[in-house]
Amino acid sequence: MIDSLVTFVIDVSGGSAALGIVLFTLAVRLLLLPLNVRQARTARIRERLAPKLRELRERHGRDPERLAKEMTALYAKEGSSPYAGILPSLAQVPFLWLMYRVATHPTALAGHTLFGAPLGEQLAGVVAHFGLASAPFLVFVSVIALVIAVAWLSARQIKVAEEQPEPMKKIMPLLPYGSVLAALVLPLAAGLYLLVSAAWATGERAVLASRPL
């Protein structure tokens, strides 16, 4: 199944596996766009309702069931839900899993490269096979550097709600850097997927934040 999928994507992209990964990633992001618009709308609603949500927590903090019911009702008046914001993250899981399977498949990406760097190879493997002073290593490092830059931009976009617990306020700005850790240990194909996906998401958030929803 994995080999068939990779063959199809490569054929569609004119024989380039790297271009195929980019096109596949863009297709996934387009597919998830309606959910992301909904997530952005939910974030704006949450900001607007922050004072009322704080009131509810102070009033019903000792009764979690009543608090959840009141919060759901408050969001429902706005045509939303407290859980609407997590849908895009959950929706991405199958695609991330699929890309991981493709990137770690022993034969799917055999012989396919990005500027000479094997798409199915991890950073450690590139160092072992080509050395530090090599074009494949520089390609891998360039992709990771771009992932870091996008993660930094993404972290700057994060707005932490006042009502969030203090530990979460510290953790949330660090979450985008999880893609950096993943790019360091996963094959180059997965790193390329993470780069394109994160870059799209960062640009998408910037556009949605500047437009009425």
Side-chain angles (χ1 to χ4, degrees), residues 110-132:
H112 294 284
T113 65
L114 174 65
F115 301 119
L119 287 168
E121 195 75 79
Q122 298 169 303
L123 179 59
V126 168
V127 173
H129 295 144
F130 299 96
L132 295 175

Side-chain angles (χ1 to χ4, degrees), residues 39 46 151 154-178:
Q39 183 183 44
R46 187 181 296 114
S154 180
R156 295 191 65 185
Q157 292 178 329
I158 292 177
K159 295 180 180 179
V160 183
E162 290 181 21
E163 66 270 14
Q164 287 282 3
E166 202 58 39
M168 284 300 297
K169 290 182 180 180
K170 295 179 180 179
I171 291 173
M172 287 185 68
L174 300 176
L175 293 179
Y177 292 99

